Amino acid sequence: MAAAAAGAGSGPWAAQEKQFPPALLSFFIYNPRFGPREGQEENKILFYHPNEVEKNEKIRNVGLCEAIVQFTRTFSPSKPAKSLHTQKNRQFFNEPEENFWMVMVVRNPIIEKQSKDGKPVIEYQEEELLDKVYSSVLRQCYSMYKLFNGTFLKAMEDGGVKLLKERLEKFFHRYLQTLHLQSCDLLDIFGGISFFPLDKMTYLKIQSFINRMEESLNIVKYTAFLYNDQLIWSGLEQDDMRILYKYLTTSLFPRHIEPELAGRDSPIRAEMPGNLQHYGRFLTGPLNLNDPDAKCRFPKIFVNTDDTYEELHLIVYKAMSAAVCFMIDGGPVKFSFEYCCSASHSKMNLTGIFCHDLPASVHPTLDFCRRLDSIVGPQLTVLASDICEQFNINKRMSGSEKEPQFKFIYFNHMNLAEKSTVHMRKTPSVSLTSVHPDLMKILGDINSDFTRVDEDEEIIVKAMSDYWVVGKKSDRRELYVILNQKNANLIEVNEEVKKLCATQFNNIFFLD
Amino acid sequence: MGEEDYYLELCERPVQFEKANPVNCVFFDEANKQVFAVRSGGATGVVVKGPDDRNPISFRMDDKGEVKCIKFSLENKILAVQRTSKTVDFCNFIPDNSQLEYTQECKTKNANILGFCWTSSTEIVFITDQGIEFYQVLPEKRSLKLLKSHNLNVNWYMYCPESAVILLSTTVLENVLQPFHFRFPPKQAGTMSKLPKFEIELPAAPKSTKPSLSERDIAMATIYGQLYVLFLRHHSRTSNSTGAEVVLYHLPREGACKKMHILKLNRTGKFALNVVDNLVVVHHQDTETSVIFDIKLRGEFDGSVTFHHPVLPARSIQPYQIPITGPAAVTSQSPVPCKLYSSSWIVFQPDIIISASQGYLWNLQVKLEPIVNLLPDKGRLMDFLLQRKECKMVILSVCSQMLSESDRASLPVIATVFDKLNHEYKKYLDAEQSYAMAVEAGQSRSSPLLKRPVRTQAVLDQSDVYTHVLSAFVEKKEMPHKFVIAVLMEYIRSLNQFQIAVQHYLHELVIKTLVQHNLFYMLHQFLQYHVLSDSKPLACLLLSLESFYPPAHQLSLDMLKRLSTANDEIVEVLLSKHQVLAALRFIRGIGGHDNISARKFLDAAKQTEDNMLFYTIFRFFEQRNQRLRGSPNFTPGEHCEEHVAFFKQIFGDQALMRPTTF
């Protein structure tokens, strides 16, 4: 078993060992059609990180990737190579849009040992990285780019290669710094969404709130609602929500935690007449509504790119632990029927239909932001405390908070629901896990096994160090359990997992 | 003013009687609601007409002097006629009893009879200027027996037959009212009980005039099941009030009378009161309009009294054409418009208007449809409508209207309306439930506390709203689907808020709408939070959606699992998906594997064309046979011969399990 070899040693040499985690070596995007002839190879390269690399080396690396992909295609025309394993690194290939290739090169983790003569010996750990994890990271890079920039093709249509290169440079320059390859794991494969558990009545209240807000702020096209960084409602389609959720929970929300903790955002704008005291504030857009020069610039996002290709402004507004995302039409105004009808009064309806001379794109103004703040703020504040109260009641009812004998990760491919008691709170830098990386690797291996077959199956692994790891797959759901029971045998472990399923998953059809 | 604006009307079929004239005297009896037309003191005929009996009672009686008062006892058993100030004459209308008149003189010396009231079919109260006398009539003996009497000075009296209360005006100012209540224990002589007397506060009047309480300004009526004394307090120039008001004194069965409500009329002049459908109607003769008050609607409470303003702007009673009947009318001209608010009108409680000069008796009625447009505040409109007797269709039309494209209400308003409907609905459900529980607990049905709750028209259940409002609403193509879904969710939210179990057809409506607009992910989220409650029909609906939305399969199985009564369905679903092993594991997990049909599973396994799977399933059943019957062979009743042959063909005879022999 691979994990056994990597088990943290406790021998006399352990102290002299130095470990280096996997790291990003390079990341590039190219399109072979852009420089098909000799001497034009440079034109293929749309983005290359690190930029300092000498031009010829860039061309060589791109050429190599191209060759590998072409070569492997002869064996499997529909599924060309996804990754290339070498002693020192691994390369991951992804073709998110036709002829646009993204390549990520990751250095294998290194252990530096002291040999007997005192010289350092470097040992590359070739088998440590999981293909699925890093392929997923690469795909996520594209999804994130697309969320904020639209497709590569769209950039080409809007302003040719030049614009595309600019956008790629602007986006990936910053994004790659946030990758943290050393802490990628099973959760990156899933790209799941954590849903906030809620009783029906509170959920309906939230529904009612969202519908009312969409009615009174009649330019809102979609709404998403989160509590405690967990999703409660998404008006967006699943795939778009998946990446937006990733952005919100790993980037936007963590950035705003610190000001919250510092108490800088206590109830505000009490001085504004007619405003009820509330805790609402914008996480995107204007920081201070009283400042007449406040900028009302909201990030643009692109959704439904395979279909209607919508350009939206993302307004994220938060009160206490409740965050609501309003997405309003940000592209050129299309006079779809639905747009006209989103007005709540029949009079507005008429202006919608007859008034063709609207500005080319709707921009949320400061007035709009103030209106939003005055309507949403007080209601969201009340709702947030309702949810909090309900959550505490449920927690009390579910009984003692005894530290369980197991940790688990659950994922449902159908609704992307993800639950992990392995991971601690996400921070912008790393996702902390409470178990040893070796165990995480076993989970990844089990997941790879699951991917190979379509049928339901169950895998039980006895790891070194007294841990049992159990993977179960049933009708597009996966459950991974890590048990720490000394001297337990297979039957007992099986019983434990059955018990866990009966308590945690009794309301779904999950075969034992 | 369009015709649709009138919210009060006179009933279509009035009671018609001969006009009052010097030879024809007309009397009205409030207890039986009968009009008596007495021609020439009865000698040329008495015609009695009630609102319900279309066949008038006609008879003759000797003219023994001017008739002052004439009334039948309840059920028209005995006729009482007062011709002098000392006596009342009686005549039996009971078959087999003598129809000879008999007479009763009032007991109190020197007293004058002001009038009399029947309190049952054989009990009568004489009101004299010196008190009241309560008699039992013995028709077979043609005599009366005094049951009880009470002495006090009486200025005038008033009788409310619905609550059997007589109110006597006493004292010089006439403003101290003494109520008496009459009870009728079954098959016993009635009892008379004296209630606490109370004083009506008279408005300050100029010193030159002696203030006094006029009989005309007092009415008694039952409003929302409670007896009230209504006092019309006229505008006094000395006080700074802005107009006349109606003061409502609550007269409880027990305890003291209490001033409760004040209805602000904001005008002065001549008024008349009616009570229709628990609404106080105040007619104003000067403007020939009327206003209505609803004491259940929120008013301004000052700590002891609630002040109310008219619910709606003042309107005239709907113009009325006098129907032309009789042979004389055939050739004559078009119907004559009736003079409304005529000074010859006499108003009786609760809802009677009589025009003695024209010979008509009408019931006043409230029309609800026009009110819908006169009350823009939908919440208040609902509060108002929900208290009315014939409200159901109007409320449903209000609901439809607020969801129509042209008159679309905002979501908060829609939510308020749904909440008000469901509040009423929940009250009824709770009453039903506690009734059912009481019956179950064995409480006797005759117990007065145990009454089956009455379902009024204000109880609009889910099927009403579904049938008359929502099903048509979701069909409207022009409605933005966002609004449709928001409305459906709002209704479901409201039901949940009142802890009313939502019917599955509402959930189906939501699903249908979402599916129509390809909003499967929304549907998925609703199901994830159990907003759409689990049920077998819903699970089947989801199964049928699998081809459009693959996750529906998982959702459906989850739902079936939670129902815990749908294990057979789960097995069927899994088998249909060729998940034979999963089906078997599931049924074994719940301990049902001894009772399943081997043939069904073997069929499904054979269909997969997976020989190893077939082998596994076959072996499982062989082992079951061994365990249950001591032999691995299938019995003929299991109809598995075909599968045994198939097994032999593939794996050979020797692969069959051998019976364990000892």
Side-chain angles (χ1 to χ4, degrees):
Chain A
M1 193 177 302
S10 52
W13 301 107
Q16 273 102 31
E17 270 187 19
K18 260 192 192 165
Q19 294 200 12
F20 296 94
L24 181 69
L25 281 183
S26 57
F27 183 98
F28 46 91
I29 300 166
Y30 66 91
N31 185 329
R33 297 287 169 92
F34 289 179
R37 286 156 205 270
E38 259 189 57
Q40 294 177 342
E41 287 90 348
E42 197 190 352
N43 294 349
K44 295 177 187 172
I45 305 172
L46 300 168
F47 173 78
Y48 201 103
H49 165 87
N51 197 27
E52 304 77 55
V53 173
E54 198 260 326
K55 187 176 95 182
N56 283 325
E57 198 191 328
K58 287 183 187 169
I59 292 172
R60 259 203 323 278
N61 287 337
V62 167
L64 180 65
C65 292
E66 226 185 308
I68 291 163
V69 169
Q70 275 307 328
F71 175 67
T72 54
R73 222 191 265 274
T74 38
F75 304 105
S76 163
S78 59
K79 286 184 191 166
K82 287 242 156 55
S83 68
L84 174 70
H85 297 208
T86 66
Q87 187 204 7
K88 292 186 179 172
N89 60 41
R90 251 187 228 195
Q91 304 194 8
F92 298 93
F93 313 115
N94 180 29
E95 187 190 17
E97 292 178 40
E98 203 183 356
N99 291 315
F100 285 94
W101 286 87
M102 296 175 81
V103 180
M104 180 170 78
V105 185
V106 181
R107 195 201 60 212
N108 283 327
I110 300 171
I111 293 181
E112 197 186 273
K113 287 181 178 164
Q114 302 277 313
S115 68
K116 281 177 186 149
D117 52 9
K119 276 186 196 160
V121 177
I122 285 179
E123 205 174 90
Y124 284 96
Q125 297 188 287
E126 291 170 53
E127 298 304 319
E128 280 307 280
L129 297 185
L130 288 166
D131 275 354
K132 275 190 83 184
V133 170
Y134 292 91
S135 296
S136 303
V137 170
L138 183 57
R139 277 200 303 274
Q140 222 168 58
C141 287
Y142 172 71
S143 301
M144 199 62 91
Y145 168 83
K146 194 180 72 173
L147 178 68
F148 291 104
N149 295 279
T151 58
F152 296 155
L153 205 64
K154 188 76 184 5
M156 294 291 294
E157 283 168 9
D158 289 350
V161 181
K162 186 167 170 285
L163 182 70
L164 176 59
K165 280 184 172 176
E166 274 169 26
R167 286 191 181 165
L168 291 172
E169 180 64 38
K170 197 173 160 209
F171 178 78
F172 283 108
H173 176 71
R174 271 176 54 193
Y175 183 71
L176 291 180
Q177 295 171 19
T178 66
L179 271 186
H180 306 292
L181 294 180
Q182 71 278 16
S183 53
C184 293
D185 60 29
L186 193 59
L187 289 194
D188 291 282
I189 300 178
F190 295 149
I193 293 171
S194 177
F195 286 92
F196 187 78
L198 204 60
D199 66 293
K200 180 162 65 174
M201 195 56 231
T202 316
Y203 184 78
L204 285 167
K205 272 194 208 164
I206 294 169
Q207 275 296 318
S208 180
F209 162 82
I210 291 166
N211 289 333
R212 287 170 192 209
M213 292 308 111
E214 287 190 359
E215 184 182 64
S216 32
L217 309 165
N218 51 53
I219 54 173
V220 174
K221 211 165 174 185
Y222 305 107
T223 308
F225 194 101
L226 295 94
Y227 188 86
N228 258 350
D229 293 6
Q230 292 174 300
L231 188 66
I232 292 178
W233 170 253
S234 163
L236 279 184
E237 284 305 310
Q238 182 169 283
D239 279 342
D240 290 323
M241 193 61 228
R242 175 188 234 172
I243 194 70
L244 178 63
Y245 179 76
K246 172 92 185 163
Y247 164 70
L248 294 172
T249 53
T250 60
S251 175
L252 185 69
F253 293 159
R255 264 190 277 144
H256 285 85
I257 284 176
E258 278 163 41
E260 266 169 34
L261 293 178
R264 246 187 285 156
D265 298 271
S266 47
I268 36 170
R269 297 183 294 280
E271 70 273 16
M272 261 177 87
N275 235 351
L276 292 165
Q277 273 233 336
H278 66 77
Y279 291 84
R281 67 204 173 90
F282 286 92
L283 296 196
T284 63
L287 289 172
N288 183 356
L289 288 172
N290 292 329
D291 177 3
D293 300 324
K295 289 265 187 325
C296 290
R297 292 185 54 182
F298 294 95
K300 269 192 186 177
I301 59 168
F302 296 81
V303 300
N304 290 330
T305 49
D306 313 334
D307 186 17
T308 45
Y309 207 94
E310 292 156 71
E311 195 176 332
L312 306 166
H313 289 290
L314 175 66
I315 302 174
V316 183
Y317 188 86
K318 197 172 179 188
M320 304 199 278
S321 295
V324 55
C325 306
F326 294 114
M327 285 155 266
I328 65 175
D329 219 320
V333 174
K334 278 172 265 159
F335 268 93
S336 62
F337 180 70
E338 199 178 315
Y339 183 80
C340 299
C341 287
S342 62
S344 60
H345 305 294
S346 46
K347 272 181 201 156
M348 285 191 181
N349 245 329
L350 290 177
T351 34
I353 291 162
F354 296 118
C355 178
H356 287 282
D357 53 350
L358 275 182
S361 109
V362 180
H363 262 289
T365 59
L366 188 59
D367 269 351
F368 175 80
C369 293
R370 285 187 180 140
R371 194 157 72 89
L372 187 148
D373 182 68
S374 67
I375 298 173
V376 179
Q379 295 199 47
L380 189 60
T381 304
V382 173
L383 204 51
S385 44
D386 274 6
I387 299 170
C388 179
E389 197 179 311
Q390 202 55 46
F391 178 64
N392 288 334
I393 290 172
N394 291 348
K395 218 164 71 179
R396 239 176 287 135
M397 278 185 356
S398 68
S400 57
E401 280 286 291
K402 215 170 57 187
E403 183 69 20
Q405 281 293 299
F406 50 80
K407 291 192 157 62
F408 71 88
I409 296 176
Y410 163 84
F411 180 69
N412 181 358
H413 288 270
M414 295 277 94
N415 61 356
L416 306 182
E418 161 192 293
K419 197 173 175 184
S420 169
T421 61
V422 169
H423 293 77
M424 262 95 99
R425 200 183 162 78
K426 280 175 194 149
T427 67
S429 52
V430 275
S431 84
L432 292 168
T433 58
S434 58
V435 300
H436 196 275
D438 297 341
L439 292 170
M440 290 309 291
K441 172 133 193 307
I442 296 175
L443 298 186
D445 287 334
I446 296 176
N447 171 264
S448 302
D449 282 343
F450 284 162
T451 320
R452 273 195 280 278
V453 246
D454 232 11
E455 278 166 32
D456 294 354
E457 50 177 36
E458 192 166 339
I459 297 174
I460 302 181
V461 178
K462 172 91 161 79
M464 305 298 286
S465 62
D466 289 326
Y467 281 99
W468 285 86
V469 180
V470 182
K472 271 167 77 85
K473 184 182 158 200
S474 165
D475 192 27
R476 314 286 284 139
R477 289 183 166 109
E478 292 175 29
L479 174 69
Y480 301 85
V481 187
I482 299 170
L483 290 139
N484 179 17
Q485 271 179 335
K486 263 190 192 158
N487 309 323
N489 61 33
L490 195 61
I491 294 166
E492 287 161 351
V493 168
N494 197 35
E495 282 304 308
E496 266 315 301
V497 175
K498 266 191 181 172
K499 254 192 265 166
L500 168 74
C501 289
T503 54
Q504 298 273 335
F505 304 105
N506 63 339
N507 60 348
I508 56 172
F509 185 79
F510 200 67
L511 272 181
D512 307 311
Chain B
M1 201 190 289
E3 194 184 317
E4 60 275 12
D5 225 0
Y6 304 109
Y7 52 80
L8 289 167
E9 63 180 357
L10 302 174
C11 66
E12 225 169 284
R13 290 194 183 174
V15 177
Q16 211 176 339
F17 54 88
E18 197 181 339
K19 294 171 192 172
N21 58 44
V23 289
N24 183 45
C25 295
V26 178
F27 298 90
F28 179 66
D29 169 20
E30 287 179 272
N32 290 324
K33 314 282 182 238
Q34 287 166 329
V35 182
F36 288 75
V38 183
R39 285 185 66 89
S40 324
T44 47
V46 178
V47 180
V48 185
K49 278 188 172 178
D52 303 320
D53 37 81
R54 291 281 146 193
N55 301 323
I57 305 168
S58 306
F59 57 90
R60 277 172 210 283
M61 55 187 192
D62 297 336
D63 184 359
K64 295 180 185 167
E66 189 203 344
V67 173
K68 292 184 165 181
C69 187
I70 179 166
K71 285 170 186 175
F72 271 118
S73 74
L74 301 188
E75 297 153 33
N76 300 335
K77 291 227 164 88
I78 302 161
L79 181 72
V81 187
Q82 184 197 352
R83 295 185 175 101
T84 73
S85 62
K86 300 282 181 199
T87 58
V88 177
D89 305 323
F90 295 88
C91 178
N92 295 339
F93 272 67
I94 309 164
D96 306 332
N97 270 339
S98 161
Q99 291 188 3
L100 278 176
E101 279 194 11
Y102 45 103
T103 302
Q104 178 67 44
E105 195 176 344
C106 68
K107 295 274 182 203
T108 318
K109 290 264 162 6
N110 304 324
N112 290 315
I113 298 175
L114 300 173
F116 61 86
C117 320
W118 286 101
T119 59
S120 77
S121 56
T122 55
E123 279 155 341
I124 192 165
V125 184
F126 289 3
I127 299 99
T128 71
D129 54 0
Q130 291 178 32
I132 56 174
E133 298 166 6
F134 184 34
Y135 293 97
Q136 184 175 21
V137 185
L138 307 165
E140 58 286 356
K141 291 184 181 165
R142 302 205 297 119
S143 66
L144 279 75
K145 183 177 131 196
L146 182 68
L147 296 171
K148 211 167 181 183
S149 66
H150 192 89
N151 292 329
L152 76 171
N153 287 322
V154 179
N155 304 306
W156 46 262
Y157 76 98
M158 188 164 283
Y159 180 50
C160 177
E162 285 83 18
S163 49
V165 169
I166 291 179
L167 212 54
L168 304 178
S169 156
T170 66
T171 72
V172 187
L173 295 180
E174 307 188 6
N175 66 333
V176 175
L177 299 179
Q178 173 62 62
F180 285 91
H181 179 223
F182 297 86
R183 268 180 261 249
F184 323 104
K187 295 189 179 171
Q188 283 177 38
T191 61
M192 173 179 97
S193 54
K194 189 178 163 194
L195 301 177
K197 65 180 172 194
F198 61 98
E199 189 180 329
I200 301 276
E201 296 162 42
L202 294 173
K207 276 184 186 146
S208 54
T209 59
K210 171 188 155 259
S212 74
L213 181 64
S214 158
E215 180 183 357
R216 282 199 312 267
D217 295 335
I218 291 289
M220 262 197 293
T222 307
I223 305 171
Y224 294 118
Q226 298 295 318
L227 180 63
Y228 287 92
V229 174
L230 291 79
F231 167 46
L232 182 62
R233 182 153 67 190
H234 291 282
H235 173 69
S236 72
R237 282 185 204 88
T238 49
S239 77
N240 48 10
S241 71
T242 50
E245 12 178 79
V246 177
V247 186
L248 268 63
Y249 292 82
H250 178 218
L251 192 58
R253 282 280 143 84
E254 262 139 57
C257 186
K258 189 174 178 296
K259 186 159 107 181
M260 298 279 280
H261 300 278
I262 292 181
L263 316 180
K264 306 290 279 183
L265 301 177
N266 289 324
R267 34 172 73 173
T268 58
K270 278 177 140 177
F271 298 98
L273 301 175
N274 273 132
V275 173
V276 183
D277 202 358
N278 293 313
L279 296 168
V280 179
V281 183
V282 183
H283 308 289
H284 189 226
Q285 203 181 23
D286 307 25
T287 56
E288 299 195 352
T289 58
S290 309
V291 287
I292 56 177
F293 293 87
D294 184 351
I295 58 169
K296 274 227 178 146
L297 285 189
R298 187 191 296 265
E300 300 141 31
F301 186 60
D302 75 349
S304 64
V305 181
T306 311
F307 292 85
H308 298 269
H309 293 280
V311 180
L312 301 165
R315 288 285 184 272
S316 160
I317 295 170
Q318 181 167 339
Y320 185 82
Q321 309 279 330
I322 290 185
I324 293 161
T325 49
V330 177
T331 49
S332 79
Q333 68 282 37
S334 55
V336 191
C338 172
K339 169 89 183 87
L340 301 176
Y341 300 92
S342 147
S343 54
S344 72
W345 275 15
I346 309 162
V347 170
F348 290 96
Q349 297 319 317
D351 59 350
I352 289 162
I353 294 175
I354 292 176
S355 172
S357 62
Q358 287 168 305
Y360 286 104
L361 178 152
W362 294 281
N363 293 92
L364 186 65
Q365 294 168 343
V366 173
K367 288 199 323 185
L368 297 181
E369 288 84 4
I371 294 171
V372 171
N373 298 319
L374 287 171
L375 238 180
D377 178 344
K378 288 272 187 299
R380 206 169 154 81
L381 176 64
M382 275 298 142
D383 286 340
F384 177 82
L385 290 177
L386 284 168
Q387 300 297 339
R388 306 287 73 86
K389 269 199 204 83
E390 305 278 328
C391 61
K392 182 165 170 176
M393 293 323 287
V394 181
I395 289 175
L396 289 169
S397 78
V398 171
C399 292
S400 294
Q401 192 193 347
M402 75 180 178
L403 301 179
S404 73
E405 216 188 348
S406 51
D407 278 317
R408 197 167 126 182
S410 70
L411 286 173
V413 169
I414 293 167
T416 309
V417 169
F418 285 157
D419 284 349
K420 290 193 187 288
L421 292 185
N422 289 328
H423 178 72
E424 244 359 88
Y425 178 26
K426 174 67 175 171
K427 269 202 314 207
Y428 172 73
L429 290 178
D430 283 350
E432 270 276 83
Q433 200 192 2
S434 41
Y435 172 77
M437 277 164 65
V439 168
E440 210 168 292
Q443 267 193 41
S444 103
R445 271 170 206 278
S446 57
S447 157
L449 293 170
L450 191 61
K451 255 193 275 176
R452 195 187 182 94
V454 184
R455 182 174 174 148
T456 66
Q457 284 209 6
V459 178
L460 276 87
D461 63 19
Q462 296 173 62
S463 98
D464 293 326
V465 175
Y466 172 83
T467 315
H468 298 278
V469 182
L470 295 178
S471 60
F473 166 64
V474 300
E475 292 300 326
K476 283 184 192 153
K477 294 278 175 293
E478 68 278 10
M479 275 298 159
H481 62 79
K482 247 188 188 183
F483 180 66
V484 174
I485 293 159
V487 168
L488 294 176
M489 291 315 286
E490 206 55 68
Y491 187 57
I492 290 175
R493 178 208 49 81
S494 180
L495 289 167
N496 272 289
Q497 195 155 311
F498 288 98
Q499 292 161 327
I500 301 168
V502 180
Q503 296 293 323
H504 72 87
Y505 45 76
L506 287 175
H507 291 145
E508 275 167 22
L509 212 53
V510 174
I511 295 177
K512 210 176 97 187
T513 312
L514 291 169
V515 168
Q516 245 166 30
H517 295 94
N518 275 317
L519 299 169
F520 289 105
Y521 189 44
M522 277 194 189
L523 171 61
H524 201 137
Q525 296 182 66
F526 288 150
L527 290 161
Q528 204 172 311
Y529 283 95
H530 307 296
V531 165
L532 308 174
S533 317
D534 299 340
S535 71
K536 269 189 205 175
L538 212 56
C540 293
L541 182 60
L542 285 172
L543 267 185
S544 70
L545 293 175
E546 195 196 344
S547 54
F548 308 100
Y549 185 64
H553 178 255
Q554 194 191 60
L555 290 166
S556 170
L557 270 184
D558 290 351
M559 194 176 277
L560 291 170
K561 159 88 186 297
R562 285 192 298 267
L563 285 169
S564 79
T565 55
N567 295 330
D568 293 345
E569 282 84 351
I570 291 178
V571 169
E572 291 301 328
V573 169
L574 290 173
L575 288 183
S576 74
K577 292 255 139 193
H578 305 301
Q579 293 178 296
V580 190
L581 212 52
L584 201 55
R585 286 177 65 187
F586 168 73
I587 204 82
R588 195 181 58 183
I590 57 164
H593 53 293
D594 285 352
N595 306 316
I596 48 173
S597 148
R599 186 189 159 85
K600 192 199 275 181
F601 281 79
L602 288 168
D603 269 343
K606 202 174 152 204
Q607 271 173 30
T608 62
E609 292 174 8
D610 178 346
N611 287 344
M612 277 325 289
L613 180 69
F614 184 78
Y615 183 92
T616 313
I617 302 294
F618 192 87
R619 182 64 88 220
F620 174 86
F621 283 107
E622 279 188 322
Q623 283 164 354
R624 185 180 80 165
N625 295 342
Q626 174 74 46
R627 185 164 44 82
L628 295 179
R629 294 194 297 268
S631 157
N633 298 331
F634 291 92
T635 63
E638 289 179 282
H639 302 291
C640 292
E641 296 79 12
E642 169 200 349
H643 302 98
V644 174
F646 182 72
F647 185 86
K648 283 187 198 161
Q649 182 199 325
I650 303 234
F651 302 105
D653 285 11
Q654 72 287 354
L656 285 174
M657 201 171 140
R658 310 222 165 269
T660 23
T661 46
F662 297 99

